[in-house]
Amino acid sequence: MATQVQFFMSPDDEVAFFRHLERFELEVYPRRVPPDWETFRASQANVPRLPEEDLYLVVLAAGPAIVDKVKRGPDKGFWRIDEVRSPVIFFERCRLNEEGELLSGQMWAEMDVTPQTGRKEAAADIFMRTYREVEEYLKKTFRKGDPKPFLVGPKAARLYKETRLVLRDSAHRGGTVVPYK
């Protein structure tokens, strides 16, 4: 089972998060990788270059991403990253919906040996350590939300308080989330 963190990040929170990620060697890939994709490091300066919604952060110290070419379907010709065998952190960005509500994002990584995923050996220690450090950063700097599994970034919490920004779970028929004081 993947280790998952659900959160709300305003654009300012996202910039601060990527400033924290600069200390690690992480490469950015979109969920669907075009054949001509130029990789770049996860850093504060590269936030404008990030893919719009979902992306992968490859922990280079643990090894390169394992990719396969998609041979059929609407993504034919694109590359797909193997989430189980690659040392990647999946990162879904927060975004605004049509009503101006901030939808939740998530971060997860597959590290365990399970029959469902087909992983035959545990993830490398450097990969697990990197993910845990990133997860700890979120838990230390973000507020807890109600319901419990959500974390709310400091700027998103301020926007909630000052402008009455609605924080909505991105799941189907997701409810609203309130940051703890």
Side-chain angles (χ1 to χ4, degrees), residues 2-33:
T3 304
Q4 181 183 26
V5 177
Q6 295 178 308
F7 52 77
F8 290 94
M9 283 188 193
S10 72
D12 292 337
D13 292 328
E14 193 172 76
V15 168
F17 177 68
F18 276 88
R19 185 179 319 119
H20 174 74
L21 293 181
E22 287 178 4
R23 60 197 295 213
F24 308 106
E25 274 191 62
L26 303 176
E27 274 188 349
V28 176
Y29 285 88
R31 185 174 209 159
R32 293 178 354 162
V33 184

Side-chain angles (χ1 to χ4, degrees), residues 1-2 11 28 41 52 54 60-61 83 85 103 132-133 136 145 154 173-174 178:
M1 186 166 147
V28 176
R41 296 272 309 260
E52 285 299 313
D54 305 336
L60 294 176
E83 304 165 336
R85 297 182 308 163
L103 298 176
R132 296 285 183 228
E133 283 186 46
E136 283 302 312
R173 295 189 181 181
V178 177

Side-chain angles (χ1 to χ4, degrees), residues 1 9 20 33 59 64 70 92 95 101 105 122 124 128 146-147 166:
M1 186 166 147
M9 283 188 193
H20 174 74
V33 184
V59 181
V70 179
E92 179 185 353
R95 59 195 184 282
E101 302 169 330
M128 289 195 283
D146 183 27
V166 176

